[in-house]
Amino acid sequence: MQNFFNALNNFLLIALPYMALLVFVVGSIWRYTSTKFKFSSLSSQFLEGSQLFWGSVPFHIGILFLFFGHLTAFLIPRGVLAWNSHPARLIVLEVTAFIFAIAVLIGLVNLVYRRLTHPRISVVTSKMDYAILLLLLLQVVSGLWVAYNFRWGSSWFSSVLTPYLWSIYALQPDVSAVSALPWIVKFHIVGAYLTVLLIPFSRLVHFLVVPLDYLWRPYQQVVWYWDRKKLRKSWTPWSLQRPRNN
Amino acid sequence: MDVRAQISMVFHLDKCIGCHTCSIACKNIWTDRKGAEYQWWNNVETKPGTGYPTKWEDQDIYKGGWEKKNGSIDLKGAGKKKGLLNIFHNPNLPVIDDYYEPFTYKYLDLIESPAMDDQPTARPVSLITGKPIDIKMGPNWDDDLSGTPDYARKDPNLHDLSPAEQEAMFQLERMAFFYLPRICNHCLNPACVASCPSGAIYKRGEDGIVLINQKVCRAWRMCVTACPYKKSYYNWHTGKSEKCILCYPRLEAGYAPACMHSCVGRIRYLGVILYDAGQIENAASDETESLVDRQLNMLLDPFDPGVIEAAKENGVADSTIKAAQDSPTYRFVKEWGMALPLHAEFRTLPMLFYVPPLLPVMASLSKQDTSQGEKMDPIAKFWNDTWLYDTSTEDLWGTIDQARFPLKYMANLFAAGDEEKVKLVLKKLMAVRIHRRGITVGDIAPEKVETALREAGMDAETADAIYKLTSLAKFDDRFVIPPAHREQAIEMLEFTGDTKGSIGFGFKENAERGL
């Protein structure tokens, strides 16, 4: 039995993350280069606008905060620990994160409810949409559970999970500390890997193409087939680059 | 001077009979697909009326186009700040009910119905959910319904007409309406291009056609908000936005766009206009009153040697310059000054121009005649007098001055509120009629004809040219399409017959939603 759990731990905490990362990277590149026409956030606001507000907005704002929170603990664990060294700051951080997680939960519940009850939205919902919603729902519920029952997560994430994640990254996986964590924490970790794994196959791809370059591009875009200034020059070769509009 | 070529259009509204043939031609070629059923890249509206989508001209509702603030312009409902902040939920996005829920009928029920006491019926079903629905809206729901309280009286263009003027407009005896066919304006300062966060929308340099790259669109759906004409549509099935492509595959092959080709009334003209792209920003951010003039000033004379030289330097093909010289749109818009842009106050510099209609204006109600009922021929059911449709005024411009249709309304549509501009065009239209009547019927004194032409600012030769291009123009006169130079082919196309009814045009990826 012990062997079985060891094997399971190794599979879920070592094999799965590598699998997930590989599938995510290769899948995303394939998805971006080969299925561009299907690469979309698949907004359904056009079919139903008002209910979406109470789902999409709290979900996105909350998930963005949580995503960057987890990322910060991964990148600068010492900074997080230093911040948490004062109890008041620790509580502020934990409570804030908890509130954002509640926002995610509310948003997700609203989104699921909308998908299940609105006839027009049901039509444009795929099985993968349900899978993603369920997965994220489990993630946020388990995350809230962990945050409430095993305090203070931001600190022990930085000291236990960050070394583990870095060991994965350094190709020298060390699961000795993580294996001892409660099963619900492991559940949350595995859920995260599954989410990463499913990104290329779901509407989650839209987060890979967040249009931040919009901020510094000029408003108007004109695309020319050839460089028009050089078109009439006899030395203009026919090997000019084609524009990226096709 | 940054000379560029733009394929522009002129719609001669006097000739539009409101038959919707253009809409059907477009629908059959481009939007007969799932997710695009509700899209009418070409639609025809009855004016006054609320249009499609409902009240699209009211930018207090839809927040389309540009607005001027502190001397410069920015998008009203989208843009870098608003667009990215509202990306999770766009508060200014119209929903499908603002257009209509697409529907069909269960025709098979008629055929497969067993023998019954009653006739079988074909129930309407939603093309989205497939469930039976009560049809509440359609793309031309208020067709020919001018004067009705639900539609005509809610027309946003009536906003600065006095209640008395509006009341007079909708009296049964005075009521008039006309048709407004609309397609994408392929603007010089397109709001949709500016609003697209992923940069999927672009204007083609060679001919000015505005397109959405279906492979780059990510359904951020800001273009739907930003286009003040509501001519960018969200395909709810594929999760991509779509719009009129001016039938570029047809244009490149030398054919007229389907809507223009099929036009029964021959109201449509298409041709190249050269313009100075360096003026776009200044022209679009000028005062509202001068927007029309500034836009028309940007359009360049294709016979001017300086313009030709600058055009060649900019890589405009010789054949395109020749097409610009033969362009019917240049003649209507610039040479004759008879065509005006639709809603210049949206500041997108639209390149589709309209010749305002004279017919709803012309007939004036000279006097209230209470004995009208007696004058109806009891057998022919025909009013044998002129009270209803009186064009026999003695004043030269009487029919325009005492128009039964407020010029203010037309000015709101075509001249950013400037009545004088519309009046001048109507005078020109009238002068051509007076001139031609003088020739063909001969019951108008030559002095009167001369005065009319002079006051309209044209000579007899011009009037004849206008008459010819208006009434007698052949296919090749109405559509002067510049050769596409296949040797420099703009968009390389694959054969798409096998994806007909699926994605539209251009490539062969199936229209699945997501993966």
Side-chain angles (χ1 to χ4, degrees):
Chain A
M1 203 62 191
Q2 191 58 41
N3 280 342
F4 171 73
F5 278 117
N6 273 341
L8 193 65
N9 263 340
N10 286 346
F11 174 73
L12 293 178
L13 298 174
I14 301 174
L16 185 62
Y18 286 118
M19 235 163 65
L21 276 175
L22 187 73
V23 170
F24 165 67
V25 171
V26 175
S28 298
I29 293 171
W30 163 73
R31 191 72 207 280
Y32 186 78
T33 50
S34 312
T35 65
K36 286 186 173 172
F37 180 55
K38 294 167 198 160
F39 209 99
S40 165
S41 62
L42 297 175
S43 163
S44 57
Q45 194 192 341
F46 183 70
L47 295 177
E48 194 290 313
S50 47
Q51 264 178 285
L52 178 73
F53 178 85
W54 300 104
S56 177
V57 174
F59 168 74
H60 276 101
I61 291 175
I63 202 92
L64 274 179
F65 181 90
L66 295 183
F67 174 75
F68 283 110
H70 284 67
L71 193 68
T72 313
F74 172 67
L75 291 177
I76 40 169
R78 278 157 214 272
V80 175
L81 287 173
W83 170 274
N84 285 348
S85 60
H86 195 287
R89 292 195 299 218
L90 169 70
I91 287 170
V92 166
L93 178 67
E94 288 282 334
V95 169
T96 316
F98 202 82
I99 289 171
F100 276 99
I102 294 279
V104 172
L105 182 65
I106 291 172
L108 273 175
V109 168
N110 282 334
L111 287 174
V112 172
Y113 177 75
R114 170 173 175 271
R115 291 235 164 242
L116 289 172
T117 55
H118 206 290
R120 285 179 189 167
I121 303 301
S122 309
V123 171
V124 293
T125 306
S126 64
K127 283 176 189 140
M128 185 53 93
D129 291 342
Y130 284 127
I132 290 292
L133 282 173
L134 183 69
L135 192 57
L136 289 175
L137 206 54
L138 290 176
Q139 274 305 85
V140 71
V141 169
S142 61
L144 281 167
W145 182 275
V146 169
Y148 183 75
N149 286 316
F150 306 99
R151 278 164 257 178
W152 304 91
S154 57
S155 282
W156 59 254
F157 184 106
S158 301
S159 47
V160 178
L161 280 179
T162 302
Y164 158 67
L165 289 173
W166 277 106
S167 76
I168 295 277
Y169 177 76
L171 300 177
Q172 287 168 336
D174 172 13
V175 292
S176 49
V178 185
S179 312
L181 287 174
W183 71 270
I184 187 79
V185 180
K186 289 186 208 164
F187 180 86
H188 190 75
I189 297 172
V190 168
Y193 293 147
L194 286 179
T195 313
V196 171
L197 182 94
L198 287 180
I199 285 173
F201 310 105
S202 67
R203 60 169 58 208
L204 293 183
V205 285
H206 74 275
F207 109 91
L208 299 172
V209 287
V210 174
L212 287 178
D213 55 333
Y214 182 45
L215 285 172
W216 49 82
R217 84 162 161 86
Y219 264 151
Q220 295 301 350
Q221 296 202 115
V222 181
V223 170
W224 299 86
Y225 192 68
W226 297 113
D227 185 334
R228 57 206 174 107
K229 297 277 183 190
K230 290 182 189 158
L231 190 65
R232 279 163 195 273
K233 302 278 194 299
S234 56
W235 43 265
T236 299
W238 285 96
S239 58
L240 286 175
Q241 289 276 313
R242 291 186 64 201
R244 51 159 195 95
N245 63 342
N246 207 339
Chain B
M1 195 155 50
D2 181 7
V3 181
R4 286 183 201 168
Q6 166 81 38
I7 293 188
S8 70
M9 297 74 72
V10 165
F11 289 9
H12 199 305
L13 294 187
D14 258 340
K15 301 205 276 173
C16 183
I17 57 171
C19 65
H20 300 272
T21 307
C22 43
S23 307
I24 297 300
C26 176
K27 164 107 340 219
N28 282 342
I29 295 186
W30 301 122
T31 56
D32 56 342
R33 296 167 282 127
K34 189 176 177 187
E37 324 88 341
Y38 85 95
Q39 301 176 8
W40 293 83
W41 295 355
N42 181 109
N43 74 308
V44 184
E45 292 170 6
T46 301
K47 285 281 164 195
T50 47
Y52 156 88
T54 309
K55 295 173 98 177
W56 61 273
E57 289 152 299
D58 191 343
Q59 302 309 343
D60 291 337
I61 302 174
Y62 288 106
K63 314 277 185 204
W66 302 82
E67 64 180 350
K68 190 169 177 174
K69 257 190 202 161
N70 314 325
S72 68
I73 54 169
D74 202 352
L75 292 168
K76 194 179 170 81
K80 296 189 177 181
K81 212 172 105 196
K82 286 177 207 156
L84 290 180
L85 284 177
N86 292 331
I87 205 156
F88 305 137
H89 180 273
N90 179 358
N92 305 321
L93 183 79
V95 292
I96 194 152
D97 297 311
D98 291 319
Y99 302 77
Y100 70 103
E101 180 160 358
F103 55 85
T104 186
Y105 296 91
K106 294 180 84 174
Y107 295 109
L108 209 57
D109 287 1
L110 299 180
I111 296 166
E112 294 185 339
S113 163
M116 296 188 297
D117 292 339
D118 301 311
Q119 287 278 351
T121 53
R123 288 186 74 184
V125 288
S126 163
L127 276 174
I128 300 177
T129 58
K131 300 202 171 75
I133 54 166
D134 285 329
I135 303 169
K136 299 214 175 65
M137 273 282 281
N140 58 342
W141 209 237
D142 56 343
D143 216 25
D144 296 349
L145 284 181
S146 184
T148 50
D150 283 351
Y151 299 106
R153 292 181 196 217
K154 288 186 177 161
D155 187 318
N157 297 297
L158 298 169
H159 65 91
D160 55 354
L161 270 69
S162 68
E165 274 178 306
Q166 292 190 30
E167 210 39 58
M169 202 169 158
F170 296 124
Q171 277 175 18
L172 195 57
E173 307 83 35
R174 293 175 65 118
M175 196 151 61
F177 60 84
F178 61 95
Y179 300 105
L180 185 75
R182 301 199 299 121
I183 66 172
C184 165
N185 288 277
H186 297 280
C187 306
L188 297 185
N189 186 33
C192 58
V193 177
S195 73
C196 180
S198 46
I201 316 184
Y202 61 100
K203 193 173 177 69
R204 293 211 304 195
E206 286 80 2
D207 50 17
I209 297 175
V210 177
L211 295 174
I212 301 177
N213 188 338
Q214 294 288 296
K215 294 180 178 177
V216 182
C217 174
R218 308 274 183 243
W220 307 126
R221 67 219 172 273
M222 291 299 160
C223 55
V224 183
T225 299
C227 176
Y229 302 95
K230 289 290 164 281
K231 280 293 169 192
S232 184
Y233 300 91
Y234 181 68
N235 183 319
W236 54 265
H237 174 61
T238 60
K240 303 272 169 172
S241 288
E242 302 179 5
K243 65 179 283 300
C244 159
I245 57 177
L246 202 59
C247 285
Y248 74 79
R250 289 175 62 93
L251 278 180
E252 286 173 13
Y255 294 108
C259 57
M260 315 215 170
H261 198 134
S262 63
C263 181
V264 173
R266 303 181 180 186
I267 78 157
R268 300 188 180 211
Y269 299 82
L270 176 136
V272 174
I273 293 184
L274 300 178
Y275 68 99
D276 180 10
Q279 295 181 35
I280 290 177
E281 200 175 339
N282 284 335
S285 37
D286 210 326
E287 298 304 320
T288 311
E289 308 81 63
S290 37
L291 280 171
V292 176
D293 288 328
R294 284 299 299 269
Q295 184 180 355
L296 296 182
N297 283 341
M298 285 171 65
L299 313 181
L300 302 168
D301 179 2
F303 295 98
D304 180 345
V307 171
I308 294 174
E309 197 186 331
K312 286 187 170 185
E313 210 166 284
N314 253 0
V316 178
D318 287 344
S319 54
T320 307
I321 298 173
K322 175 72 170 70
Q325 290 171 344
D326 297 337
S327 166
T329 55
Y330 177 78
R331 304 182 83 183
F332 267 119
V333 176
K334 193 73 181 182
E335 205 176 310
W336 300 331
M338 288 174 62
L340 297 165
L342 179 66
H343 286 300
E345 71 273 16
F346 297 160
R347 296 176 185 278
T348 60
L349 306 178
M351 286 303 270
L352 195 171
F353 300 89
Y354 291 88
V355 179
L358 183 59
L359 284 173
V361 175
M362 217 167 71
S364 56
L365 191 66
S366 48
K367 59 178 194 288
Q368 293 284 342
D369 188 352
T370 46
S371 58
Q372 21 176 286
E374 297 160 18
K375 290 182 181 169
M376 181 147 92
D377 188 310
I379 294 162
K381 302 285 183 204
F382 171 79
W383 269 294
N384 57 359
D385 74 347
T386 54
W387 72 272
L388 194 63
Y389 199 75
D390 182 9
T391 57
S392 61
T393 166
E394 282 304 306
D395 293 337
L396 189 53
W397 306 117
T399 50
I400 295 174
D401 290 332
Q402 306 155 20
R404 65 170 174 173
F405 203 83
L407 290 192
K408 184 77 196 161
Y409 176 83
M410 245 177 245
N412 285 344
L413 271 173
F414 302 116
D418 186 353
E419 277 179 64
E420 287 308 309
K421 275 204 184 64
V422 172
K423 204 173 201 174
L424 181 65
V425 176
L426 294 179
K427 276 185 179 177
K428 288 181 179 182
L429 287 166
M430 198 69 206
V432 173
R433 280 163 195 250
I434 293 171
H435 168 72
R436 288 306 302 176
R437 188 175 175 105
I439 290 174
T440 54
V441 184
D443 63 348
I444 298 181
E447 300 79 46
K448 192 175 171 181
V449 174
E450 213 170 280
T451 323
L453 288 175
R454 194 177 57 245
E455 288 188 18
M458 61 171 80
D459 52 24
E461 240 171 69
T462 314
D464 278 326
I466 296 172
Y467 155 69
K468 276 193 184 127
L469 195 56
T470 306
S471 309
L472 308 176
K474 299 286 184 293
F475 196 88
D476 290 341
D477 304 322
R478 286 183 282 132
F479 308 117
V480 179
I481 300 161
H485 293 276
R486 302 291 287 191
E487 74 276 13
Q488 305 162 15
I490 298 173
E491 313 275 340
M492 295 302 287
L493 300 172
E494 294 178 81
F495 178 70
T496 51
D498 41 355
T499 43
K500 170 91 175 107
S502 173
I503 55 162
F505 213 87
F507 48 91
K508 291 184 185 172
E509 211 174 314
N510 277 329
E512 296 299 323
R513 189 176 164 81
L515 195 70

